[in-house]
Amino acid sequence: MVMATKMEAIQAGRTSTKVMTMIQAINQGLRTMLEADETTILLGEDIGKNGGVFRATEGLQDDFGEERVVDTPLSESGIIGASVGLAVNGFKPVAEMQFMGFVYPAYDQIMTHVSRLRMKTMGRFSVPMVVRTPYGAGIRAPEIHSDSAEALFTHMPGIKVVCPSNPYDAKGLLIAAIEDPDPVIFMEPMRSYRATRGDVPEEKYTVEIGKGALLEEGTDLTVIAWGAMIPLAQKAAKAAAQLGIHCDVLDLRTLYPLDLDLIASSVQKTGRVVIVHEAQRTGGLGNDIISSINDTCFLHLRAPIGRVTGFDVPVPFFALEEHYLPTVKRITQQIESVYRF
Amino acid sequence: MEASFPMKQIMDEEGRLVDPSYQEQIDEKLVQQLHYHMLRIRTFDRKAISLQRQGRIGTYPPFEGQEACQVGSALALGEGDWVFPTYRDHGATLTFGADMVRMFLYWNGRQEGCVAPPGKHIFPAAVPIATQILHAVGASWAEKRKGTDRVAIAYFGDGATSEGDFHEGLNFASVFQTPTILFNQNNGYAISVPIERQMNSKTIAQKSVAYGMPGIRIDGNDCFAVYFETKRAVEAAREGNGPTLIEAVTWRTGAHTTADDPTKYRPSGKGKDIVDPLVRLERFMKNDGYWDEQAVKTLQDKLNDEVETAVKGMAEFPAPNPEDLFDHVFAVLPPQLQEQKEFYLEFLKG
């Protein structure tokens, strides 16, 4: 078994690490950048005094002041639109959308300006901005608090989309996102905020945007997932191993641009694929992954590609969310079915 | 409420000063500057319409009738200030220092038209209505954070006041006391919808009350009122007194764009009594001894030459480069985009 993220830390020879949850790692990533770069500015609803509804920004306003950790009006388009102005004028805004289902009022600003300002001004103006947003179902949250809208943004040109699954990647990718010269949507799997723990170096480090990780190594089938689906994919891979099916588990980590080389190298080896995402199936990112496999691995495939996804329905009220979300059982069954094709 | 926001006028329709307290500040230099720029952008605007009719540029939104708004406000700004225009504010950006060749390029579908001259803080024209208000708030907020005295001006029309971003923008500006000039040109129509169908309030200026910021209603066809009131708002912003909402009441003489016919939605005769802002300034100049028939003729010839040269500059500009389709989307091209680019360039070779 290869733990890619841990390996990176070991290879880098880091000694000062601490076990933390993902939410702590995100907090530390923000702190690191507030310390390292005085142009970093945090904006969002309830991120200051309250430290964020998930405590991602806890303590940061106390340490960096109201000017750099800004409690904004309840105004998503306002936050993103004002961040565009800050970004073109020398600041690096890290804007929090309280839940991904709350990003829609800001969609216009992201689609019509954030994504295309660099192109239309041929580089004269750019928008180095990060939009942090907790996403996903599974924590019995109220309506609209559980959406997983990555495909809206992977479809949007000019935007990078990142989604860590563990504390190490969360901090490293967040720092990379803040340092990136272009806009990054940073999706945080809220059900993993406190459910995942791991070693996180205390120093500043980055995880490269655009690179996935091979979390588990097998020979028979490739499971592709990201974010909150990773722990489920890993459990399903373990269950499949009991049945004699050995899986590669890929954590994409970046959803745009996809790590096509990693996907191709794994699928060319295994010839079988199961893609797992909690967003709705139609128009989902899984379909782009299938297209890329079609381009690079057509003659290597030994079975039709399987998908375990949310259904083509609005993310339901939480009483039904366990039926909407992929489960270990559904994934394991799909692995078996693809394997036995 | 309307009574709290009377329309401020410095010069009336006959070109007479109605507020003599401005007598001293209105000097030869200012008068000639206002006249020069208003005549210049009108020459540009009329040429652009004619180019569109000949199929030499794309759809074009004329600003005729709004020259006093655009020139008066742009001249009230300082060199390092920020300008956030809509698609009908190229009169303002030309006055502020945008390049005329690039302006024609923009209306000819070229992204090169969005590239402001070095050092000029001119944003590309916002097409999505009211969105640019927030950008102006953000950019001026950044200036405040940096401790400079620079300001940003956001241009927007009457229709924009119905959009969410107008309200979010004014709210942000007032909460954070950003040095922002919120410059509304109320030209009576948002494409075909008249102002009385756009809102139930009598003025746009009164909306400032809701945001706890100063608001003023001015005669937008009076270049002096526009210039001095914008200057007052700019100075207040520079001194740390936050944003101002200015409603400049004006009139769009022509169509929304070259693609519509205003006779379809504007009652005939409506607006006919409005004195053109350039005519009004000319009346003032004649009344007050600033008018020199020969000098104006010479100026018009000079402006015609400038515009013709810019048209030539547009025509002779290097052809669109297909690589520009890909190269500016990100700072560094992601591999899949690089692949798409290589594929397409190879395809073009035949």
PDB file of all heavy atoms in Angstrom, chain A residues 186-211:
ATOM      1  N   PHE A 186     -11.837  26.082  -3.923  1.00  0.00           N
ATOM      2  CA  PHE A 186     -11.260  25.140  -2.970  1.00  0.00           C
ATOM      3  C   PHE A 186     -12.397  24.477  -2.208  1.00  0.00           C
ATOM      4  O   PHE A 186     -13.009  25.076  -1.320  1.00  0.00           O
ATOM      5  CB  PHE A 186     -10.321  25.892  -2.030  1.00  0.00           C
ATOM      6  CG  PHE A 186      -9.476  25.004  -1.165  1.00  0.00           C
ATOM      7  CD1 PHE A 186      -8.290  24.477  -1.643  1.00  0.00           C
ATOM      8  CD2 PHE A 186      -9.872  24.687   0.128  1.00  0.00           C
ATOM      9  CE1 PHE A 186      -7.493  23.652  -0.856  1.00  0.00           C
ATOM     10  CE2 PHE A 186      -9.092  23.856   0.927  1.00  0.00           C
ATOM     11  CZ  PHE A 186      -7.905  23.345   0.434  1.00  0.00           C
ATOM     12  N   MET A 187     -12.699  23.232  -2.588  1.00  0.00           N
ATOM     13  CA  MET A 187     -13.840  22.519  -1.998  1.00  0.00           C
ATOM     14  C   MET A 187     -13.403  21.708  -0.787  1.00  0.00           C
ATOM     15  O   MET A 187     -12.484  20.901  -0.879  1.00  0.00           O
ATOM     16  CB  MET A 187     -14.454  21.584  -3.042  1.00  0.00           C
ATOM     17  CG  MET A 187     -15.081  22.317  -4.224  1.00  0.00           C
ATOM     18  SD  MET A 187     -15.555  21.181  -5.542  1.00  0.00           S
ATOM     19  CE  MET A 187     -16.711  20.112  -4.707  1.00  0.00           C
ATOM     20  N   GLU A 188     -14.077  21.954   0.308  1.00  0.00           N
ATOM     21  CA  GLU A 188     -13.709  21.261   1.551  1.00  0.00           C
ATOM     22  C   GLU A 188     -14.810  20.267   1.921  1.00  0.00           C
ATOM     23  O   GLU A 188     -15.958  20.661   2.129  1.00  0.00           O
ATOM     24  CB  GLU A 188     -13.526  22.305   2.660  1.00  0.00           C
ATOM     25  CG  GLU A 188     -12.443  23.322   2.311  1.00  0.00           C
ATOM     26  CD  GLU A 188     -12.370  24.503   3.284  1.00  0.00           C
ATOM     27  OE1 GLU A 188     -13.123  24.515   4.276  1.00  0.00           O
ATOM     28  OE2 GLU A 188     -11.554  25.409   3.035  1.00  0.00           O
ATOM     29  N   PRO A 189     -14.453  18.978   1.983  1.00  0.00           N
ATOM     30  CA  PRO A 189     -15.466  17.969   2.318  1.00  0.00           C
ATOM     31  C   PRO A 189     -15.858  18.085   3.780  1.00  0.00           C
ATOM     32  O   PRO A 189     -15.103  17.676   4.661  1.00  0.00           O
ATOM     33  CB  PRO A 189     -14.760  16.642   2.040  1.00  0.00           C
ATOM     34  CG  PRO A 189     -13.308  16.943   2.124  1.00  0.00           C
ATOM     35  CD  PRO A 189     -13.112  18.387   1.776  1.00  0.00           C
ATOM     36  N   MET A 190     -17.028  18.649   4.041  1.00  0.00           N
ATOM     37  CA  MET A 190     -17.334  18.981   5.437  1.00  0.00           C
ATOM     38  C   MET A 190     -17.513  17.739   6.295  1.00  0.00           C
ATOM     39  O   MET A 190     -17.271  17.774   7.485  1.00  0.00           O
ATOM     40  CB  MET A 190     -18.523  19.928   5.520  1.00  0.00           C
ATOM     41  CG  MET A 190     -19.810  19.404   4.989  1.00  0.00           C
ATOM     42  SD  MET A 190     -21.100  20.628   5.276  1.00  0.00           S
ATOM     43  CE  MET A 190     -21.619  20.970   3.630  1.00  0.00           C
ATOM     44  N   ARG A 191     -17.891  16.612   5.675  1.00  0.00           N
ATOM     45  CA  ARG A 191     -18.018  15.424   6.524  1.00  0.00           C
ATOM     46  C   ARG A 191     -16.654  14.867   6.920  1.00  0.00           C
ATOM     47  O   ARG A 191     -16.555  14.017   7.806  1.00  0.00           O
ATOM     48  CB  ARG A 191     -18.914  14.360   5.881  1.00  0.00           C
ATOM     49  CG  ARG A 191     -18.303  13.643   4.699  1.00  0.00           C
ATOM     50  CD  ARG A 191     -19.330  12.865   3.928  1.00  0.00           C
ATOM     51  NE  ARG A 191     -19.544  11.518   4.443  1.00  0.00           N
ATOM     52  CZ  ARG A 191     -20.181  10.574   3.763  1.00  0.00           C
ATOM     53  NH1 ARG A 191     -20.680  10.821   2.556  1.00  0.00           N
ATOM     54  NH2 ARG A 191     -20.345   9.374   4.265  1.00  0.00           N
ATOM     55  N   SER A 192     -15.609  15.350   6.247  1.00  0.00           N
ATOM     56  CA  SER A 192     -14.251  14.924   6.616  1.00  0.00           C
ATOM     57  C   SER A 192     -13.538  15.929   7.510  1.00  0.00           C
ATOM     58  O   SER A 192     -12.408  15.692   7.933  1.00  0.00           O
ATOM     59  CB  SER A 192     -13.411  14.718   5.347  1.00  0.00           C
ATOM     60  OG  SER A 192     -14.067  13.874   4.437  1.00  0.00           O
ATOM     61  N   TYR A 193     -14.176  17.076   7.776  1.00  0.00           N
ATOM     62  CA  TYR A 193     -13.524  18.131   8.558  1.00  0.00           C
ATOM     63  C   TYR A 193     -12.913  17.590   9.855  1.00  0.00           C
ATOM     64  O   TYR A 193     -11.790  17.906  10.216  1.00  0.00           O
ATOM     65  CB  TYR A 193     -14.543  19.206   8.938  1.00  0.00           C
ATOM     66  CG  TYR A 193     -14.641  20.372   7.967  1.00  0.00           C
ATOM     67  CD1 TYR A 193     -15.808  21.127   7.902  1.00  0.00           C
ATOM     68  CD2 TYR A 193     -13.578  20.745   7.154  1.00  0.00           C
ATOM     69  CE1 TYR A 193     -15.921  22.221   7.046  1.00  0.00           C
ATOM     70  CE2 TYR A 193     -13.682  21.828   6.291  1.00  0.00           C
ATOM     71  CZ  TYR A 193     -14.858  22.568   6.240  1.00  0.00           C
ATOM     72  OH  TYR A 193     -14.969  23.642   5.402  1.00  0.00           O
ATOM     73  N   ARG A 194     -13.730  16.790  10.560  1.00  0.00           N
ATOM     74  CA  ARG A 194     -13.251  16.268  11.843  1.00  0.00           C
ATOM     75  C   ARG A 194     -13.092  14.765  11.838  1.00  0.00           C
ATOM     76  O   ARG A 194     -12.540  14.178  12.758  1.00  0.00           O
ATOM     77  CB  ARG A 194     -14.194  16.711  12.965  1.00  0.00           C
ATOM     78  CG  ARG A 194     -14.059  18.188  13.240  1.00  0.00           C
ATOM     79  CD  ARG A 194     -14.963  18.710  14.319  1.00  0.00           C
ATOM     80  NE  ARG A 194     -14.653  20.125  14.546  1.00  0.00           N
ATOM     81  CZ  ARG A 194     -15.089  21.120  13.791  1.00  0.00           C
ATOM     82  NH1 ARG A 194     -15.879  20.872  12.764  1.00  0.00           N
ATOM     83  NH2 ARG A 194     -14.737  22.367  14.052  1.00  0.00           N
ATOM     84  N   ALA A 195     -13.577  14.125  10.758  1.00  0.00           N
ATOM     85  CA  ALA A 195     -13.523  12.667  10.698  1.00  0.00           C
ATOM     86  C   ALA A 195     -12.166  12.168  10.223  1.00  0.00           C
ATOM     87  O   ALA A 195     -11.817  11.011  10.413  1.00  0.00           O
ATOM     88  CB  ALA A 195     -14.627  12.153   9.775  1.00  0.00           C
ATOM     89  N   THR A 196     -11.404  13.053   9.553  1.00  0.00           N
ATOM     90  CA  THR A 196     -10.080  12.618   9.102  1.00  0.00           C
ATOM     91  C   THR A 196      -9.014  13.276   9.971  1.00  0.00           C
ATOM     92  O   THR A 196      -9.097  14.456  10.298  1.00  0.00           O
ATOM     93  CB  THR A 196      -9.832  13.018   7.631  1.00  0.00           C
ATOM     94  OG1 THR A 196      -9.957  14.430   7.524  1.00  0.00           O
ATOM     95  CG2 THR A 196     -10.823  12.349   6.701  1.00  0.00           C
ATOM     96  N   ARG A 197      -8.035  12.502  10.331  1.00  0.00           N
ATOM     97  CA  ARG A 197      -6.898  13.029  11.089  1.00  0.00           C
ATOM     98  C   ARG A 197      -5.634  12.541  10.417  1.00  0.00           C
ATOM     99  O   ARG A 197      -5.641  11.496   9.763  1.00  0.00           O
ATOM    100  CB  ARG A 197      -6.916  12.501  12.528  1.00  0.00           C
ATOM    101  CG  ARG A 197      -8.148  12.899  13.329  1.00  0.00           C
ATOM    102  CD  ARG A 197      -8.146  12.258  14.702  1.00  0.00           C
ATOM    103  NE  ARG A 197      -7.242  12.925  15.630  1.00  0.00           N
ATOM    104  CZ  ARG A 197      -7.567  14.036  16.295  1.00  0.00           C
ATOM    105  NH1 ARG A 197      -8.756  14.593  16.128  1.00  0.00           N
ATOM    106  NH2 ARG A 197      -6.725  14.597  17.118  1.00  0.00           N
ATOM    107  N   GLY A 198      -4.579  13.292  10.559  1.00  0.00           N
ATOM    108  CA  GLY A 198      -3.324  12.837   9.972  1.00  0.00           C
ATOM    109  C   GLY A 198      -2.177  13.755  10.335  1.00  0.00           C
ATOM    110  O   GLY A 198      -2.385  14.817  10.932  1.00  0.00           O
ATOM    111  N   ASP A 199      -0.978  13.307   9.982  1.00  0.00           N
ATOM    112  CA  ASP A 199       0.217  14.110  10.247  1.00  0.00           C
ATOM    113  C   ASP A 199       0.253  15.318   9.319  1.00  0.00           C
ATOM    114  O   ASP A 199       0.124  15.171   8.104  1.00  0.00           O
ATOM    115  CB  ASP A 199       1.483  13.267   9.974  1.00  0.00           C
ATOM    116  CG  ASP A 199       1.702  12.241  11.080  1.00  0.00           C
ATOM    117  OD1 ASP A 199       1.233  12.493  12.209  1.00  0.00           O
ATOM    118  OD2 ASP A 199       2.317  11.200  10.801  1.00  0.00           O
ATOM    119  N   VAL A 200       0.452  16.471   9.894  1.00  0.00           N
ATOM    120  CA  VAL A 200       0.564  17.685   9.083  1.00  0.00           C
ATOM    121  C   VAL A 200       1.812  18.442   9.520  1.00  0.00           C
ATOM    122  O   VAL A 200       1.951  18.777  10.703  1.00  0.00           O
ATOM    123  CB  VAL A 200      -0.690  18.572   9.260  1.00  0.00           C
ATOM    124  CG1 VAL A 200      -0.527  19.876   8.483  1.00  0.00           C
ATOM    125  CG2 VAL A 200      -1.938  17.835   8.799  1.00  0.00           C
ATOM    126  N   PRO A 201       2.717  18.691   8.586  1.00  0.00           N
ATOM    127  CA  PRO A 201       3.899  19.479   8.949  1.00  0.00           C
ATOM    128  C   PRO A 201       3.476  20.869   9.400  1.00  0.00           C
ATOM    129  O   PRO A 201       2.527  21.440   8.859  1.00  0.00           O
ATOM    130  CB  PRO A 201       4.683  19.562   7.632  1.00  0.00           C
ATOM    131  CG  PRO A 201       4.164  18.446   6.788  1.00  0.00           C
ATOM    132  CD  PRO A 201       2.740  18.245   7.190  1.00  0.00           C
ATOM    133  N   GLU A 202       4.168  21.404  10.370  1.00  0.00           N
ATOM    134  CA  GLU A 202       3.809  22.736  10.860  1.00  0.00           C
ATOM    135  C   GLU A 202       4.339  23.833   9.956  1.00  0.00           C
ATOM    136  O   GLU A 202       3.859  24.947   9.987  1.00  0.00           O
ATOM    137  CB  GLU A 202       4.314  22.912  12.290  1.00  0.00           C
ATOM    138  CG  GLU A 202       3.617  21.929  13.227  1.00  0.00           C
ATOM    139  CD  GLU A 202       3.687  22.348  14.682  1.00  0.00           C
ATOM    140  OE1 GLU A 202       4.754  22.126  15.274  1.00  0.00           O
ATOM    141  OE2 GLU A 202       2.692  22.888  15.201  1.00  0.00           O
ATOM    142  N   GLU A 203       5.331  23.479   9.147  1.00  0.00           N
ATOM    143  CA  GLU A 203       5.903  24.503   8.268  1.00  0.00           C
ATOM    144  C   GLU A 203       5.032  24.717   7.028  1.00  0.00           C
ATOM    145  O   GLU A 203       4.046  24.018   6.807  1.00  0.00           O
ATOM    146  CB  GLU A 203       7.294  24.060   7.828  1.00  0.00           C
ATOM    147  CG  GLU A 203       7.205  22.825   6.951  1.00  0.00           C
ATOM    148  CD  GLU A 203       8.556  22.173   6.713  1.00  0.00           C
ATOM    149  OE1 GLU A 203       9.329  22.038   7.660  1.00  0.00           O
ATOM    150  OE2 GLU A 203       8.790  21.776   5.555  1.00  0.00           O
ATOM    151  N   LYS A 204       5.448  25.690   6.241  1.00  0.00           N
ATOM    152  CA  LYS A 204       4.746  25.985   4.992  1.00  0.00           C
ATOM    153  C   LYS A 204       5.186  24.991   3.919  1.00  0.00           C
ATOM    154  O   LYS A 204       6.381  24.772   3.721  1.00  0.00           O
ATOM    155  CB  LYS A 204       5.114  27.415   4.572  1.00  0.00           C
ATOM    156  CG  LYS A 204       4.406  27.860   3.319  1.00  0.00           C
ATOM    157  CD  LYS A 204       4.777  29.308   2.980  1.00  0.00           C
ATOM    158  CE  LYS A 204       4.294  29.625   1.580  1.00  0.00           C
ATOM    159  NZ  LYS A 204       5.191  30.507   0.845  1.00  0.00           N
ATOM    160  N   TYR A 205       4.243  24.360   3.277  1.00  0.00           N
ATOM    161  CA  TYR A 205       4.556  23.463   2.151  1.00  0.00           C
ATOM    162  C   TYR A 205       3.384  23.501   1.190  1.00  0.00           C
ATOM    163  O   TYR A 205       2.293  23.960   1.544  1.00  0.00           O
ATOM    164  CB  TYR A 205       4.790  22.020   2.643  1.00  0.00           C
ATOM    165  CG  TYR A 205       3.549  21.389   3.237  1.00  0.00           C
ATOM    166  CD1 TYR A 205       2.687  20.599   2.457  1.00  0.00           C
ATOM    167  CD2 TYR A 205       3.210  21.601   4.569  1.00  0.00           C
ATOM    168  CE1 TYR A 205       1.538  20.039   2.999  1.00  0.00           C
ATOM    169  CE2 TYR A 205       2.054  21.052   5.114  1.00  0.00           C
ATOM    170  CZ  TYR A 205       1.225  20.278   4.329  1.00  0.00           C
ATOM    171  OH  TYR A 205       0.089  19.749   4.861  1.00  0.00           O
ATOM    172  N   THR A 206       3.609  23.025  -0.003  1.00  0.00           N
ATOM    173  CA  THR A 206       2.509  23.001  -0.967  1.00  0.00           C
ATOM    174  C   THR A 206       2.337  21.592  -1.526  1.00  0.00           C
ATOM    175  O   THR A 206       3.271  20.795  -1.548  1.00  0.00           O
ATOM    176  CB  THR A 206       2.756  23.953  -2.162  1.00  0.00           C
ATOM    177  OG1 THR A 206       3.996  23.597  -2.772  1.00  0.00           O
ATOM    178  CG2 THR A 206       2.801  25.399  -1.727  1.00  0.00           C
ATOM    179  N   VAL A 207       1.127  21.306  -1.938  1.00  0.00           N
ATOM    180  CA  VAL A 207       0.826  20.118  -2.735  1.00  0.00           C
ATOM    181  C   VAL A 207       0.468  20.651  -4.113  1.00  0.00           C
ATOM    182  O   VAL A 207      -0.355  21.565  -4.239  1.00  0.00           O
ATOM    183  CB  VAL A 207      -0.351  19.327  -2.124  1.00  0.00           C
ATOM    184  CG1 VAL A 207      -0.819  18.229  -3.075  1.00  0.00           C
ATOM    185  CG2 VAL A 207       0.054  18.743  -0.770  1.00  0.00           C
ATOM    186  N   GLU A 208       1.100  20.129  -5.131  1.00  0.00           N
ATOM    187  CA  GLU A 208       0.957  20.701  -6.468  1.00  0.00           C
ATOM    188  C   GLU A 208      -0.485  20.568  -6.985  1.00  0.00           C
ATOM    189  O   GLU A 208      -1.064  19.477  -6.973  1.00  0.00           O
ATOM    190  CB  GLU A 208       1.928  20.007  -7.422  1.00  0.00           C
ATOM    191  CG  GLU A 208       2.010  20.707  -8.770  1.00  0.00           C
ATOM    192  CD  GLU A 208       2.979  20.012  -9.731  1.00  0.00           C
ATOM    193  OE1 GLU A 208       3.786  19.167  -9.280  1.00  0.00           O
ATOM    194  OE2 GLU A 208       2.885  20.302 -10.932  1.00  0.00           O
ATOM    195  N   ILE A 209      -1.026  21.688  -7.459  1.00  0.00           N
ATOM    196  CA  ILE A 209      -2.345  21.664  -8.090  1.00  0.00           C
ATOM    197  C   ILE A 209      -2.208  20.958  -9.447  1.00  0.00           C
ATOM    198  O   ILE A 209      -1.266  21.205 -10.192  1.00  0.00           O
ATOM    199  CB  ILE A 209      -2.891  23.093  -8.249  1.00  0.00           C
ATOM    200  CG1 ILE A 209      -3.176  23.684  -6.865  1.00  0.00           C
ATOM    201  CG2 ILE A 209      -4.150  23.114  -9.117  1.00  0.00           C
ATOM    202  CD1 ILE A 209      -3.622  25.121  -6.863  1.00  0.00           C
ATOM    203  N   GLY A 210      -3.147  20.063  -9.735  1.00  0.00           N
ATOM    204  CA  GLY A 210      -3.088  19.341 -11.015  1.00  0.00           C
ATOM    205  C   GLY A 210      -2.511  17.942 -10.880  1.00  0.00           C
ATOM    206  O   GLY A 210      -2.407  17.217 -11.870  1.00  0.00           O
ATOM    207  N   LYS A 211      -2.131  17.573  -9.656  1.00  0.00           N
ATOM    208  CA  LYS A 211      -1.574  16.231  -9.442  1.00  0.00           C
ATOM    209  C   LYS A 211      -2.454  15.432  -8.490  1.00  0.00           C
ATOM    210  O   LYS A 211      -2.727  15.859  -7.377  1.00  0.00           O
ATOM    211  CB  LYS A 211      -0.159  16.338  -8.830  1.00  0.00           C
ATOM    212  CG  LYS A 211       0.851  16.972  -9.747  1.00  0.00           C
ATOM    213  CD  LYS A 211       1.279  16.025 -10.863  1.00  0.00           C
ATOM    214  CE  LYS A 211       2.263  16.716 -11.803  1.00  0.00           C
ATOM    215  NZ  LYS A 211       1.961  16.515 -13.225  1.00  0.00           N
TER     216      LYS A 211
END
